[in-house]
Amino acid sequence: MLALGVGAQAAGTLVVSAPALLIPYLHGHGTPLPVAGLLAAAPTFGMVLTLIAWGAVTDRYGERVVIAGGLVLTTLAVVGAWLSAGDPVLLGLAFLAAGMTSASTNAASGRVVVGWFPKERRGLAMGIRQMSQPLGVTLAAVTVPQLAEASGIRAALVLPVVLCAVLAVLCAVGIVDPPRPSRAGAPTEATVNPYRSSGFLWRVHAVSVLLVVPQFTLSTYGLVWLVGLGWSTGAAGLLVGAAQFVGAIGRIVVGAWSDRAGSRVRPLRTVAVSAAVVMGVLALVDVTHLAAAAVFLVLATSVTVADNGLAYTSVAEAAGPFWSGRALGAQNTGQFLAASAVGPGVGALVAGLGFAASFSIVGLLPLVALPLVPRRDRVLG
């Protein structure tokens, strides 16, 4: 179940990440940077529109049908993007549709992990599951820029089509919905709306929205930053991919740390402070043109992705088995709403102020998030 959840989410992430990695190609062929950023943001905006709905469908019908069916629809949406490669408007609409359909894997694959693993192993299991996002970005980073530069947009979209189609079949055959307790025998606290009974989920959602901005700033513009420092597109893509892979390993480590600590929120507080520090360091690297830019980008990428598994597991545990689909959908909605603003927003910041100032501004957001992190965990399931 864990392997299929990771694969499904990685395929969805590959689809969502690919447009951002087309920015150098689009910009090099006459597309203004803010417009290219808008195209890159289209899939994440599409996810925002459907995440909660997919979560509600998961709560009602189960994980297997949502993951497998969503991947089928995602395959069709990427085929639409392949056919629309010559028209920016149609391409943007196809990217939007791909985001709307790929959102199915987010909440549902997380529920598979929460449902099949006990609390004392969930942090590690969710850390492995959360590897899927940086792994998907890694796969996109080492294929999409190079294929686009060599053969155009259509060549870069072949792998997402094939991977989504294959994973749709595997998930339809292999996923088994985890057992759920009977609503009739469950305590009242587990069945009532968790957003009305406590402010815990609201606070975690707010923290995640703020912490996702540094993460998507680096995944969206890390490649552009390196190219501006003199790197070739191919080498920069490989480094961005390597950074995402290191970040994937870091998520496992942080997840295991939270299991050992018996808390998700205490490590989350440490990650927030670290994210502010590494973004400040990147700003300094840009100003001073230090030769070790690659090392600092890998470090910053690893730190800024580390919070996702902690927050995701915390939301699922606090929402309980009857509300976790919708809660995880809300969690991702907030994150991707912020992420969809990163493309055009940070693009405008970079165009007007440069990378150093942009990194510094983004680095303030984790400090704003710090006092919002709950002091104690809340576990209903």
Side-chain angles (χ1 to χ4, degrees), residues 35-61:
V35 175
L38 189 61
L39 285 173
T44 54
F45 182 69
M47 296 181 78
V48 167
L49 298 177
T50 59
L51 276 163
I52 295 177
W54 280 118
V57 173
T58 305
D59 284 336
R60 184 173 180 85
Y61 296 106

Side-chain angles (χ1 to χ4, degrees), residues 23-24 27 33 220-237 239-240 285-287 289-290 293 297 350 354-356 359:
I23 289 178
H27 191 46
L33 188 58
T220 303
Y221 287 104
L223 181 74
V224 180
W225 180 58
L226 290 171
V227 170
L229 292 178
W231 288 60
S232 68
T233 300
L239 180 65
V240 170
V285 169
D286 186 73
V287 170
H289 298 286
L290 289 177
L297 181 64
V350 171
F355 274 107
F359 288 157

Side-chain angles (χ1 to χ4, degrees), residues 119 189-190 192-201 204 263-265 313-320 374-381:
K119 179 180 181 296
E189 187 182 25
V192 299
N193 187 336
Y195 290 97
R196 295 178 181 174
S197 60
S198 169
F200 183 92
L201 287 174
V204 175
S263 173
R264 317 297 177 199
V265 297
T313 308
S314 183
V315 165
E317 291 178 337
R375 293 191 174 276
R376 294 192 180 106
D377 294 85
R378 183 174 188 262
V379 180
L380 294 180

